[in-house]
Amino acid sequence: MDYIIFLLIIAAVFVLSILILILSRKQKTIVVFDKEDYDLREITLGDIDRMGDGSGFEMYLYRLLIELGYSGVYKTVGSRDFGADVVFTDPDGVRNVIQAKRYAVENPVGISAVQEVFSCMRYYKAKKAVVIATTRFTDSCEMLAGINYVKLIDRTDLSNIIEAFRAGDTLEARKIIEAEPRRLLESWSETNSTTLHEVRKDYKAEKYVKKVMSK
């Protein structure tokens, strides 16, 4: 009898532990944007980190740009967006394409983000491209963005935008968004030179091709 009671207690503790775990997960996974009347100023970067996927982040940016007073703002469809998640027009009348990346803090955004958003500019007839991320960017991503004049807004920038907006300082939030991207320029001598940049060769591939062609 005592053994049966002991087993029942163990089972009850196990079930209770499962229920507590489920409830704690529900509390941690905050589902924002599940209603139409949410207050955008209540959303923090922590809330964005707890979103289930990137679609919520895209919707947040879509709403944010509208509330910041930009014109020509729209969110692209989920598929066949050609590399742009949100599009808006800045005060100079220039269309901007944005790619949103909601990654974990420890997972940096790589070079493909710049390649995709830059390549879709002509499709959307945009003159500026932006990548907004919830994390940092890799060195190669920073370099390609600088060469192609693509603006990168990392976690620190995004946090400053969110906090400025929450404080009612829309001018500061817009200032960060509209700031000129970091540009990597060649020197005049490099620009005017007919010498091509050295290509990092795949010597294994080169050796293989020579071997095949020599047969």
Side-chain angles (χ1 to χ4, degrees), residues 5-212:
I5 294 174
F6 176 75
L7 289 178
L8 289 173
I9 293 173
I10 293 297
V13 170
F14 178 77
V15 171
L16 183 61
S17 299
I18 294 296
L19 289 174
I20 292 173
L21 181 61
I22 292 173
L23 289 173
S24 65
R25 285 184 176 180
K26 285 185 176 180
Q27 290 176 348
K28 289 180 180 179
T29 307
I30 299 175
V31 181
V32 294
F33 315 115
D34 60 348
K35 55 184 181 180
E36 295 180 359
D37 59 345
Y38 63 85
D39 185 355
L40 200 69
R41 295 187 189 277
E42 293 181 359
I43 305 302
T44 66
L45 187 53
D47 293 326
I48 294 173
D49 287 336
R50 289 187 286 272
M51 290 177 182
D53 56 34
S55 61
F57 183 40
E58 294 170 14
M59 183 63 73
Y60 171 82
L61 293 176
Y62 173 53
R63 280 282 312 274
L64 178 65
L65 291 167
I66 291 174
E67 297 202 24
L68 286 175
Y70 288 107
S71 63
V73 183
Y74 66 88
K75 183 181 177 300
T76 63
V77 293
S79 60
R80 290 181 61 83
D81 60 18
F82 297 99
D85 298 313
V86 183
V87 179
F88 77 99
T89 302
D90 63 27
D92 295 324
V94 176
R95 172 173 280 185
N96 290 242
V97 285
I98 295 177
Q99 184 167 118
K101 292 294 185 183
R102 193 199 68 82
Y103 285 6
V105 179
E106 66 277 6
N107 186 15
V109 175
I111 198 171
S112 63
V114 172
Q115 294 170 330
E116 291 170 14
V117 76
F118 182 78
S119 65
C120 79
M121 288 174 65
R122 291 188 65 182
Y123 176 81
Y124 288 100
K125 293 182 172 59
K127 293 183 179 179
K128 291 183 179 180
V130 186
V131 181
I132 302 180
T134 57
T135 183
R136 63 181 181 84
F137 298 95
T138 62
D139 291 341
S140 58
C141 183
E142 293 267 7
M143 178 175 291
L144 189 64
I147 292 172
N148 289 289
Y149 208 48
V150 173
K151 182 173 176 60
L152 301 181
I153 295 180
D154 63 12
R155 185 177 182 83
T156 300
D157 296 325
L158 178 61
S159 177
N160 291 336
I161 291 170
I162 292 173
E163 292 310 310
F165 172 70
R166 281 164 53 83
D169 192 351
T170 58
L171 291 178
E172 178 60 25
R174 289 177 60 127
K175 180 180 177 182
I176 299 171
I177 294 171
E178 297 167 22
E180 289 296 308
R182 175 173 173 261
R183 174 177 282 181
L184 297 179
L185 295 174
E186 294 178 317
S187 65
W188 280 111
S189 60
E190 289 176 315
T191 301
N192 297 324
S193 174
T194 57
T195 303
L196 297 177
H197 286 290
E198 181 182 358
V199 177
R200 295 180 62 186
K201 297 181 180 180
D202 184 337
Y203 289 104
K204 289 184 178 179
E206 190 175 86
K207 184 178 180 181
Y208 169 76
V209 169
K210 287 181 178 179
K211 181 179 179 181
V212 172

